[in-house]
Amino acid sequence: MKVIIDSQKLKQLEKKVSKDKVQTALRRVLVNSKLTDVADVFEEYQNIDFKFSIDIETLPITNQKQSGRCWIFSGLNFLRHHTNKNLKLKELEFSQNYLAFYDKLEKINYYLDTISEMLDKDIDDRFFQHVLVNFYGDGGQWNMFVNLVKKYGIVPKQAMPETDSSSSTYKMNSFIELKLRKFAADAQKLFKNKKLTEIEELKESVLYELYSFLVVNLGLPPKTVNFEYVDEKKKYHLDRNLTPKEFYDKYVGLDLDQYVEVINVPYETRPFNSMIEIKKSSFMTGAKNNKYLNLELNRFKEVAINQLKDKELIWFGCNVGYNFSRKFGVWDDKLFAYDKLFDMDFTVTKGDSIYYRVYALEHAMVLCGVNLVKGKPNKWKIENSWGSDLGKKGIYLGTDSWFDMYVTELVINKKHLNEQELKDLEKEPILIEAWDPLSE
Amino acid sequence: MILEEKKLQEFEKKVLKDPVKQALRRVLVNSKLTDVASVLEQQEHTQFKFSIDIETLPITNQKQSGRCWIFSGLNFLRQFVAKKIKVESFEFSQNYVAFYDKLEKINFFLQSMDDFLTCDVDDRTMQFLLSGGIQDGGQWQMFVNLVKKYGLVPKEAMQETNSSSSTFFMNSFIDLKLRKYAADARQLVKDNKKDQVGNLKNQVLTELYGFLVTNFGMPPKKFSFEYVDKKKKYHLVQNLNPHKFFEKYVGINLDDYVSLINSPTKDKPFNKVYTVAYLGNVWEGEPIKHLNLEMSRFKELVINQLKDKELVWFGSDVSTDGDRKSGVWDDKSFAYGEMFGLDLEMSKEDKLDYRVSAMNHAMVISGVNLVDGKPNKWKIENSWGTDAGNKGFYLCSDTWFDKYVYQAVVNKKYLSEQELKDLDQDLVVLKPWDPMGTLA
C-alpha cells in the first residue's frame, strides 16, 4: 500500500504532534539549542570516570590530522609500545609518513593492476565501479599495515617527518584519483583497439608519474636511518646506518604473523567460528587478502581482556559516529537519551547495523586498558590519534555496552586463542565481495 | 606487477635527476599543494565585469547543509517578487521548503523500499539507497514538486533553526530510523507478516514527522507578510496562505521551465529525455526530466534567458579548478598538470563515465560577458554567504563552464519546435547512481 502525504494525512500528523506536550516543549528548546546538546543523561556521568583496573601506560598522543591514516597511526602506536618496553623513553614516534608513502604507492600499483585485469568489463559493472571509486584512499586495514611493515620496515619519525600533504591529504588524493580514473578510461580505449602492449607502457608511465608526485608531496623515503635517543637516565644514544628493516628487527622485532584479526559480526550469513576473507583486499600486488575469524561477543571480549591483562595493547576497529561525547571524550550509548526524548525506537541489532548501513566500520584505535568489576568489564580505555587537544589529553573511554554494539574488530596475539580457534584459522574461508560492508 | 626493489630504485634515480621535481619537493616542505600552481597571468581574464549583469538581492547562506538546490531555486523565484513589490531585500523561508522536502523524502524512501522487501541484502540498488540515506540534496523537479504542493512562505514565517542550518546530526537519526525500517520490514516479510508492513510504515512516518517538527518548527498554515518597499513605504498583508503567497508574489507557471543537461556520454544520446530511478521526494509528483543538449545549444538557450534579464538555475561540479577565496572557477588559473608533470586532461565524457566528475552543486547564473557575441565568463550568485567568494558572488570562465556545467533550467519559450517535441518522448530511466543525480 502506497502512502501519499495528502492534506488529510498531514492534518492527522499535525494533530498528533500538537497534542504532544514533550515534543512541543522540545521544539521550544531547539530554537536556541543544538540537537547534540539536549539529551545528556546526567546520572550516567558517574560511570564514565577515567579510572581503570587494568591501565597500560602509553606514550604521548599522536595526531593524524586531516587524513584517514588512523590504521597506520594505530598500528605504529601498537608497535612503539613494544619498543618502549626495553628503551623506556618519554617520547617515541615512528614515521607514519614513511608507511603512508609506500601505502599510497602500493595502492596505486594495485589499482592499475586490478583495472588492467578487467578492461573487458562494462563501465557500470558493479565491481568495476567499486574499484574506480573506492580502491584508492587513505583508509586501510590491519593486514595492509602488516604487508607494508614486512616489505618496507619502519623508520623513526625524524627520518621522514610529516609534510603539509601528508597531514592534509585531500588535494593530493584528488589528483591521484583523477589520474587513476584517467588510466581506466585510456586503458579501456586501448583495449578496445587491441593495443595491449601500449597498455603496459601506459601503466608504467602512470606509475612513475604518480611515484614522482608522491615524492614531491611526501618526501623521498630514506634507505638508511640514524636513530638518536636520550634514555631515562639522560644518556644519549646514536645508532647509525640502519636500513628500515634492520631498524624494525632491532627495535620492534615482533613476528607480526603471530597476530590475527578477530571480528564480532553477528549476522546469519557470517557464522561464528568461521573464517571470512574479502576478495581483492591486499592493496599490495602479491600480498595476502584480509582474513577474519568471527567470534561470538563473550569470547571476543574475553580474548581482548586476556591480551590487556598481559599488558599488551590491542589495535581495534569500530564505529565512532554514534553516542560520542566530544566534551568528555567518551563513547557511551547510555549517556544520551535521544530515543526517550523523541519517543522513537532506534534499536537495531549489530548485524543489521552493519548490513543495512546504519554505521560504517570507520576508525582504528588502540585499546590500552579496561576496568574489571568482579571479572566483568564495564569500561575500556582507548588511545586515539586525534591529537592531545581532544578527549582526555588524547585518551578516550568507551563503555562496555558501547563496545558490545560498535566494536567489530580486534587484533589478537594467537597465544590467547584456544586450540579449536587455532584450528578454525586454518579453515577454508567464506569469500565475500570487495564491496561488503566488512571491507571498510 | 609486484613492486620490486629494482623498480623502486629505477624510479628513484629518475626522480632525483628531475630538477623541477627536486625544486617542488623543497617548496612543498612549507607550502600547501593548493597554493603552488596559480597562474598570475590569468587574473586579467577573471575580473568581475560583465556585459550582461542582472541585479540580485542580498546573498543567502545555506550554512552546514546540502540545501543549495532549494536556496538557488528560491533565489531564482525571488527575482519575481522583487519586480512586483520593489524591495531591496527579500528571502523566502528555505526552512519551510526543506521541512516538506525531508518529510516527502522520508515517505519516498519508505515507498521505494516496497521494491526491496524480498531481494538479497547485497542487492546493488538497495545497498545504494541504504548507503545514501535521506541526504539534503535534490534536483530542480523536486523543488518544483514541493513548491506546487506546499506553496511558499516568507523567511520570517518560518526562520532557520540550528538543525535546519546544520543538518548532519539530525540526518543521522533520520537515516538510522529509515535503515532500521528496511531491516524490520524485510524481517516482517520473512516472518510471513507482510500485512504489518503498512502499519510499520505509518508508524515510522509519524515518528519522523514529529522529529522534523521538533527540529525545524511547525510549518505555518496562515501568516501575514510585512515589507518596506524601496520608497520606504510600509506594507502589511494579512491572512495569506502558502499557495496564495506564491500566486500573488511569484505568479509564474513552474511548468514553463525545463531542465536541460549536457552529458556527452554514449549512454545518453542528445535530444532525448532522461529521468533517474529512485530519485525524488513527492511520491505522486512529476518525475525528474532532463533534456540532453549539445553544449553550444545549451549555452545559447542560457544566454537567451539572461538577455531577457532573467536568472538561470543551474547545476555543476564545483570541486575542481576553483578558489573559494577569490570566488573564481577557472581551469586556466591553475597549472597542476604542468607543474607536476601529470597529464590530467580528460574529456567531459570520460570524466563522467569514469567517476571523476558529477554535478554536485546548484547555483544561479546572474550574468555573462559576451565578446563579439561569444561568452568568455559568467557571473554566479551562490548561497554560501557573503564571506565566501567575491562578497558572495562567483565567476566561472567559459572554458570551465564547458567542462563542469551539466544542467540549466530555462523557460520553454526559448526552445525550438523540435526541442519542444523532444520533451514529449518517453523518458529513458538512468541508474540511481548516475552522475546526473543530486545537487547539494
mmCIF file of all heavy atoms in Angstrom, chain B residues 198-199 297 352 406:
data_model
loop_
_atom_site.group_PDB
_atom_site.id
_atom_site.type_symbol
_atom_site.label_atom_id
_atom_site.label_comp_id
_atom_site.label_asym_id
_atom_site.label_seq_id
_atom_site.Cartn_x
_atom_site.Cartn_y
_atom_site.Cartn_z
ATOM 1 N N GLY B 198 2.560 -2.155 6.248
ATOM 2 C CA GLY B 198 1.861 -0.870 6.100
ATOM 3 C C GLY B 198 1.801 -0.108 7.417
ATOM 4 O O GLY B 198 2.054 1.097 7.464
ATOM 5 N N ASN B 199 1.487 -0.820 8.493
ATOM 6 C CA ASN B 199 1.430 -0.176 9.813
ATOM 7 C C ASN B 199 2.777 0.363 10.248
ATOM 8 O O ASN B 199 2.887 1.466 10.782
ATOM 9 C CB ASN B 199 0.971 -1.189 10.877
ATOM 10 C CG ASN B 199 -0.528 -1.366 10.837
ATOM 11 O OD1 ASN B 199 -1.230 -0.518 10.270
ATOM 12 N ND2 ASN B 199 -1.014 -2.453 11.407
ATOM 13 N N ARG B 297 24.340 24.623 -28.061
ATOM 14 C CA ARG B 297 22.911 24.924 -27.973
ATOM 15 C C ARG B 297 22.493 25.194 -26.523
ATOM 16 O O ARG B 297 21.699 26.099 -26.240
ATOM 17 C CB ARG B 297 22.118 23.744 -28.566
ATOM 18 C CG ARG B 297 20.623 23.899 -28.530
ATOM 19 C CD ARG B 297 20.124 25.049 -29.391
ATOM 20 N NE ARG B 297 18.671 25.188 -29.311
ATOM 21 C CZ ARG B 297 18.020 26.330 -29.450
ATOM 22 N NH1 ARG B 297 18.688 27.443 -29.704
ATOM 23 N NH2 ARG B 297 16.706 26.365 -29.358
ATOM 24 N N LEU B 352 32.793 11.874 -16.790
ATOM 25 C CA LEU B 352 31.510 11.402 -16.269
ATOM 26 C C LEU B 352 31.503 9.882 -16.146
ATOM 27 O O LEU B 352 31.148 9.324 -15.110
ATOM 28 C CB LEU B 352 30.374 11.860 -17.180
ATOM 29 C CG LEU B 352 30.032 13.343 -17.120
ATOM 30 C CD1 LEU B 352 29.097 13.723 -18.258
ATOM 31 C CD2 LEU B 352 29.404 13.698 -15.775
ATOM 32 N N TYR B 406 26.689 21.089 -16.015
ATOM 33 C CA TYR B 406 25.943 19.938 -16.522
ATOM 34 C C TYR B 406 24.458 20.196 -16.724
ATOM 35 O O TYR B 406 23.795 19.452 -17.426
ATOM 36 C CB TYR B 406 26.096 18.751 -15.552
ATOM 37 C CG TYR B 406 27.500 18.245 -15.476
ATOM 38 C CD1 TYR B 406 28.271 18.433 -14.333
ATOM 39 C CD2 TYR B 406 28.076 17.601 -16.566
ATOM 40 C CE1 TYR B 406 29.575 17.977 -14.273
ATOM 41 C CE2 TYR B 406 29.375 17.131 -16.521
ATOM 42 C CZ TYR B 406 30.118 17.320 -15.369
ATOM 43 O OH TYR B 406 31.411 16.879 -15.312
#
